[in-house]
Amino acid sequence: MKIFNCPLKLQNFILSENKKIGFVPTMGNLHDGHLELCKKCIDENDLSIVSIYVNQTQFNNQSDFNNYPITFDDDVSKLEKIGIDIVFAPTFDNMYPDGFDTKISCNNDVSKILEGKYRKNHFNGMLSVVMKLLNITRPYNAYFGEKDFQQIYFIKRMVKAYFLPINIIGCPIVRDEHMLPLSSRNNRLNKKQLQIAQNVATTFHNYDDIETLKQKLKKYDIKVEYIESFENHLHIAYFIGEIRLIDNKKL
Ligand code: AMP
């Protein structure tokens, strides 16, 4: 497995290989949810690339960015073990040679609901970095988790708007035995908070009616930001202490 930090070196290497490329962007601290995307990427392409980059421009909350778990060596060994060919791990200066003067933004009805409503500028930072990563890696297929449902919605629109010849492939949410989606943020929960998150996940999956759900969730020590339906899915975001978790399910 090769590790690249420099976008130009990676681009040159990819050009010289002339292979069908699959790409999985991540922010590291990899769990089985990420690894499912990576395995699919390996199966369906000739050269598999995973990026590990905690993109600060998509964080609306500085402390969330500062506390984002970094486990680079561990991540690299997990990726090597399953057979990923390339890890791309750039720095901020690598990724933002112009600072953040040039950006991709989205502005429509959907950017004002769910994550768009509560995480100001999140999607602009996310789309900007994904555009950069797609331009660097030039994949045939790129893989994203349906856990970030609205993210896939905007990435598909960006790919269409900018005529990028890339298949955007959504992958099912990987959950624990209590239906809690695996997430890097789960590692920040203490034992009691993890139990609450698992109870919330189970409850979320047992009821479809929004008002009933809101009532049922009242007994837990959480702050619900939203429970709303969008594109035939029910979406939830809530805080346990300082930690913000999201989930969605098909209705
Ligand atoms: P992140 O490192 O959190 O930015 O996630 C990188 C990619 O992995 C995104 O496309 C996420 O939607 C996806 N992902 C994260 N957690 C899960 C999960 N539990 N199941 C499936 N995909 C996931």
Side-chain angles (χ1 to χ4, degrees), residues 25-28 31 33-34 37 68 143-148 151 171-174 181-182 184:
T26 82
M27 298 202 297
H31 50 63
H34 296 114
L37 271 61
Y68 205 84
Y143 299 82
F144 296 86
E146 283 165 2
K147 176 162 167 289
D148 298 283
Q151 167 169 291
C171 304
I173 303 177
V174 178
L182 303 188
S184 307

Side-chain angles (χ1 to χ4, degrees), residues 4 6-14 49 86 88 136-137:
F4 287 85
C6 169
L8 293 180
K9 285 193 180 144
L10 176 57
Q11 274 181 323
N12 286 337
F13 179 79
I14 289 169
I49 308 179
I86 295 178
F88 177 49
I136 294 165
T137 56

Side-chain angles (χ1 to χ4, degrees), residues 20-37:
K20 178 181 172 189
I21 289 161
F23 175 54
V24 183
T26 82
M27 298 202 297
N29 194 236
L30 303 181
H31 50 63
D32 286 348
H34 296 114
L35 296 182
E36 280 306 306
L37 271 61

Side-chain angles (χ1 to χ4, degrees), residues 2 19 40 92 95 110 115 130 157 164 187 222 227:
K2 288 182 181 301
K19 284 185 175 159
K40 195 167 161 59
F92 178 84
M95 286 303 277
V110 180
E115 295 298 281
V130 170
R157 283 179 77 88
L164 303 180
N187 291 340
I222 60 172
I227 303 178

Side-chain angles (χ1 to χ4, degrees), residues 82-117:
I82 62 168
I84 285 291
D85 298 306
I86 295 178
V87 171
F88 177 49
T91 61
F92 178 84
D93 290 343
N94 286 150
M95 286 303 277
Y96 291 91
D98 66 339
F100 186 33
D101 295 343
T102 314
K103 50 193 87 167
I104 304 279
S105 67
C106 56
N107 188 10
N108 65 6
D109 289 348
V110 180
S111 67
K112 296 178 184 70
I113 61 168
L114 307 173
E115 295 298 281
K117 179 168 171 188

